[in-house]
Amino acid sequence: QVRLVESGGGLVQPGGSLTLACAASGVIFSIDAMAWYRQAPGNKRELVALITRAGMTNYADSVKGRFTISRANAKNTVYLQLNTLKPEDTGVYYCNAQGLISTYRVNDLWGQGTQVTVSS
């Protein structure tokens, strides 16, 4: 069974940095796109950043220039570098994999989430 496991969340002061990682485990042949979403209390889950297998990226306007998404295809791992963090970046960050090919196809897979809190 394939699954996504996130790591790297925590408490950081405004202006600080964090690095999130998400590793896909199980029998995996390929993953089309990997992404990070976040959800703040009372808000809908929103896309933060996405990266295709070829390395094309897309970012939410609110994080452009501050966050960087990257992936290591050989490790089935996606990273999110969060810089110049603001209190409004606080939320649960979820990893997402789209078009995952194992011994079966998984169109949409989610991790359990990791908490990021930006506060002084």
Side-chain angles (χ1 to χ4, degrees):
Q1 185 174 357
V2 294
R3 62 180 186 142
L4 300 175
V5 179
E6 300 106 331
S7 61
L11 173 65
V12 63
Q13 292 186 342
S17 297
L18 279 176
T19 301
L20 307 182
C22 170
S25 64
V27 176
I28 298 170
F29 297 112
S30 67
I31 304 174
D32 285 345
M34 301 188 79
W36 288 95
Y37 286 72
R38 69 184 177 191
Q39 187 168 18
N43 290 357
K44 294 181 179 179
R45 191 173 298 189
E46 63 175 356
L47 175 68
V48 175
L50 178 145
I51 184 166
T52 68
R53 184 170 179 79
M56 296 181 64
T57 59
N58 185 37
Y59 294 92
D61 287 343
S62 60
V63 307
K64 284 180 180 177
R66 300 188 298 121
F67 292 7
T68 302
I69 190 170
S70 61
R71 65 187 281 180
N73 289 333
K75 297 181 180 180
N76 295 314
T77 300
V78 64
Y79 305 94
L80 186 67
Q81 178 65 41
L82 299 76
N83 295 328
T84 319
L85 281 159
K86 304 176 181 180
E88 51 264 43
D89 294 318
T90 295
V92 179
Y93 283 67
Y94 295 92
C95 179
N96 172 258
Q98 302 170 16
L100 187 151
I101 306 298
S102 178
T103 54
Y104 50 92
R105 180 179 174 89
V106 182
N107 290 324
D108 206 16
L109 182 67
W110 292 91
Q112 81 286 354
T114 185
Q115 177 71 44
V116 172
T117 302
V118 185
S119 176
S120 55

